[in-house]
Amino acid sequence: MTTTGSPVSAPPTEQGGAAPRHRTSPPSREEKRRERRSRWYQRDVKWSPYAFVAPFFLFFGAFSLFPLLYTGWASLHKVSLTAPTDMEWAGLHNFSRLFEDEFFWNALRNTFSIGIISTVPQLLMALGLAHLLNYKLRGATFYRVAMLAPYATSVAAATLVFVMLFGYDYGMINWALGAAGIDPIDWHNDTLNSHLAISAIVIWRWTGYNTLIYLAAMQAVPKDLYESASLDGASRWQQFVHVTIPSLRPTILFTVVVSTIGATQLFGEPLLFNPGGGANGGPDHQYQTLGLYLYEQGWTNLHLGRASAIAWMMFLLLVLIGLLNWLVTRWMQKSELGRKTARRRS
Amino acid sequence: MSALKTDHAPSPRTVPDRARPGHRGDRRPGRGRASSAGGQLHAGRITYAVLIVVTVIALFPLFWTAVAASRNNTRLSENPPPFWFGGNLFKNLEIAWTDANMGLALFNTAIVAGSIAIGTVLFGTIAGFAFAKLRFRFRNLLLLLTIGTMMVPPQLSVVPLFMAIAELEWTNQLQAVILPTFVSAFGVFFMRQYLLEALPTELIEAARVDGASSLRILWHVVFPAARPAMAVLGMLTFVMAWNDFFWPIIALTQQNPTVQVALTGLGRGYIPDQSVIMAGALLGTLPLLLILTLFGKQIVGGIMQGAVKG
């Protein structure tokens, strides 16, 4: 075996390329055939990687990269849904208008609020559940599959059920609260309560998925870390905090990033949480998210240019959050390093 | 790759060998019995209790979808809400089937999700193989580009995509939903990660020495080695495409809907019949639940596999 890092093409070219350098006699037919094959071979080795990635990049370029850039271009124009090819240059007007728009800030606030209420408890619960699933269990597969069932349920189906469960007069949740002696809660018209209800749908759908990701990472934690921790007298909880969580840090970061992206794009849940239809996110826009606002501007109010500007604001927001994430990780690594050196010194 | 692998993986051993309430303070470092117990810790009663509660919460909305679908609108606006099945299930299913065009919607969704799964798996495997095992100029740059765009919100491309399909007069046609997600950066990345480890480079070299062309290697070496990961990626993609909502609702209408689009149509009448809506939701969810019960173990294993490597 050659080293794994060596070019794959090296052995065959030497093997197939048999033509001697200083020829004394004209090449025989056999030699010619070999030479032809070897040339073909080299070409195959050189060009087939491009052929293999080409179909992907063809679709990818047409339907992901190009639209990405075009949206930026469209955000600088006045474009209507009724005549999408009629673009009128508007400079940064769409953006400046957005900043003056109270509904934009409202949508931004709602996105943040729902994002935090749905992401933080979800990931904490997933972490705890993964810890439980990591025990030796009878019927382990059953629990795992059952927890994944919400993930296989569509946004539409899930939200429609939850709208009923969260109904004011006849919803099961208010009924259960009533049985416990608590007054019914208005899950739809009140801002905070509607955010809680929408977050509940998100949490329900995604906790199981994140649990499995954490579980996989937990099973990869080396056993002796726990052994030495227990020898040091660490309780089970201390082991969870000081061994499990630090070992899971990259995975936790991964889920935080993925959930943040998901939360920024939240769309289906708030759209369908409004049984009357429409993308306003409730009569007072109380749960209109950025995704919903984009849809309303583009497909209800027909302003595609403004919708593009919202899309780019969402993108910038994600980049900002990504940057923040990166800084926090670096800071965490640094402080960890600092702690370790401090411990070594003492 | 084996989905089973994770089930019995040796896992951290901790001091007490059973989660027993009331014995919290009774823990001393390195007690002989506990540290020689070995293997994975058995779950205690509390663990089971918590897991059962969580399972019930996870499954209850699905169960209740079926309950609500088997009642009628009047019964659903009464207190207390129904907890068990009534006799209207088939009537409601029938109404949902005809009103929301559910037959066509299911057929469309199967085609859309199936095509997207095939495209993602096929082109993901081929490109993933090139990224994992072949050398070419700009390889790292292209890979970085692929991974980078995984972060870009789909909303960002909706406007130009909509303009493009309007221009091509594809509105309300299935290819408008299939082609934009026909390949996925995630698919390429997933297959690359898998093939990096699962496909020995010597195997490819040996095939080359034997004079196999790249296409032959792809067919006889790469595809067989990638099969388990292809199956997992295919199932994950199918689930995602089946449930996709944002783009289909923009590109399609109620005349030629996918299941998700049809469902939103059901919920938007003037006096919506909740039991019929629930029947529609049930129809749209059942196929996936069926897949989950049949391939649950593999899907779970696949998600966990992807997590460790990704």
Side-chain angles (χ1 to χ4, degrees), chain B residues 29-49:
Chain B
R31 285 205 308 173
R33 184 181 57 89
S35 48
S36 63
Q40 201 173 3
L41 217 55
H42 278 278
R45 253 180 244 146
I46 292 191
T47 303
Y48 278 109

Side-chain angles (χ1 to χ4, degrees), chain A residues 65-138:
Chain A
L65 281 182
F66 168 71
L68 177 77
L69 300 172
Y70 196 89
T71 306
W73 182 239
S75 71
L76 302 174
H77 289 79
K78 198 176 163 203
V79 201
S80 166
L81 183 79
T82 47
T85 41
D86 247 355
M87 293 168 74
E88 188 187 315
W89 178 259
L92 290 172
H93 173 74
N94 283 325
F95 289 93
S96 60
R97 216 195 145 274
L98 215 55
F99 291 130
E100 291 159 14
D101 186 353
E102 57 165 315
F103 291 123
F104 170 71
W105 296 108
N106 172 58
L108 190 66
R109 263 197 312 276
N110 288 344
T111 307
F112 259 107
S113 163
I114 299 176
I116 287 169
I117 301 175
S118 62
T119 309
V120 175
Q122 179 197 139
L123 294 182
L124 287 178
M125 275 176 356
L127 207 55
L129 285 174
H131 182 67
L132 295 186
L133 282 174
N134 202 16
Y135 289 126
K136 207 171 206 165
L137 282 169
R138 255 167 293 140

Side-chain angles (χ1 to χ4, degrees), chain B residues 203-257:
Chain B
L203 213 60
I204 304 165
E205 284 171 3
R208 287 237 193 260
V209 171
D210 287 347
S213 68
S214 297
L215 266 181
R216 264 183 90 90
I217 290 175
L218 197 64
W219 188 254
H220 290 288
V221 182
V222 178
F223 281 166
R227 203 179 294 151
M230 286 165 92
V232 168
L233 178 64
M235 283 184 289
L236 287 180
T237 311
F238 190 85
V239 172
M240 272 191 295
W242 185 284
N243 287 334
D244 195 17
F245 184 70
F246 186 68
W247 175 241
I249 205 177
I250 288 170
L252 300 179
T253 66
Q254 300 299 334
Q255 273 73 56
N256 192 29

Side-chain angles (χ1 to χ4, degrees), chain A residues 1-2 4-8 11-12 15 37 40-41 44-45 48-50 52-53 55-57 59-60 63-65 67-68 70-71 79 81 84-85 87 129 132-138 141-154 156-157 160-162 164-165 169-172 175 204-205 209 212-213 215-219 221 223 226-227 230-236 239 257 261 265 267-268 271-272 275 277-278 291 294-295 299 304 307-308 311-312 314-315 318, chain B residues 6-7 11-16 18-19 27 29-30 40-43 47-48 50-52 54-55 57-62 64-65 76-83 123 126-127 129-131 133-137 142 145-146 149 151-163 167 179-180 182-185 188 201-202 204-205 208-209 211-214 218 236 239 243 245-246 249-250 260 263-264 267-268 274 277-278 281 285 288 292 296-297 299-300 303-304 307-308:
Chain A
M1 169 195 136
T2 48
T4 27
S6 81
V8 185
Q15 237 267 333
R37 270 191 64 170
W40 187 84
Y41 216 102
D44 176 38
V45 168
S48 55
Y50 297 105
F52 288 169
V53 295
F56 166 72
F57 276 102
F59 282 101
F60 189 68
F63 295 109
S64 296
L65 281 182
L68 177 77
Y70 196 89
T71 306
V79 201
L81 183 79
T85 41
M87 293 168 74
L129 285 174
L132 295 186
L133 282 174
N134 202 16
Y135 289 126
K136 207 171 206 165
L137 282 169
R138 255 167 293 140
T141 311
F142 167 74
Y143 293 114
R144 290 176 193 175
V145 173
M147 280 178 205
L148 205 59
Y151 165 77
T153 311
S154 69
L160 292 173
V161 185
F162 274 84
M164 295 198 68
L165 294 177
D169 285 321
Y170 309 108
M172 191 172 288
W175 173 81
W204 180 73
R205 277 189 74 218
Y209 181 84
L212 291 181
I213 289 178
L215 178 61
M218 278 181 193
Q219 296 192 330
V221 177
K223 213 165 107 180
Y226 290 95
E227 264 165 33
S230 78
L231 282 176
D232 285 347
S235 73
R236 192 182 263 204
Q239 290 181 25
V257 171
I261 295 174
Q265 300 168 4
F267 170 72
L271 177 74
L272 294 170
L294 179 151
Y295 182 78
W299 278 266
L304 280 187
S308 304
W312 265 86
M314 288 171 72
F315 182 54
L318 271 178
Chain B
T6 45
D7 275 359
S11 131
R13 183 203 306 169
T14 43
V15 181
R18 217 164 289 151
R27 222 169 273 146
Q40 201 173 3
L41 217 55
H42 278 278
T47 303
Y48 278 109
V50 173
L51 287 178
I52 286 169
V54 171
T55 307
I57 294 174
L59 297 181
F60 182 77
L62 298 171
W64 201 74
T65 306
L76 289 177
S77 2
E78 276 170 26
N79 259 327
F83 282 91
F123 295 123
I126 298 174
F129 163 62
F131 278 125
K133 296 288 172 183
L134 303 181
R135 311 243 134 202
F136 53 100
R137 256 165 83 86
L142 289 177
L145 188 75
T146 310
T149 47
M151 299 254 297
V152 176
Q155 278 87 343
L156 213 57
S157 12
V158 160
V159 173
L161 274 182
F162 181 79
M163 292 155 106
E167 188 84 336
L179 288 180
F182 195 57
V183 299
S184 88
V188 173
T201 309
E202 306 92 82
I204 304 165
E205 284 171 3
R208 287 237 193 260
V209 171
S213 68
S214 297
L218 197 64
L236 287 180
V239 172
N243 287 334
F245 184 70
F246 186 68
I249 205 177
I250 288 170
Q260 313 309 330
L263 277 183
T264 57
R268 284 188 174 179
Q274 300 291 348
I277 295 174
M278 287 298 109
T285 312
L288 280 194
L292 190 71
K297 218 167 185 171
I299 297 179
V300 165
I303 289 177
M304 293 181 47
V308 172

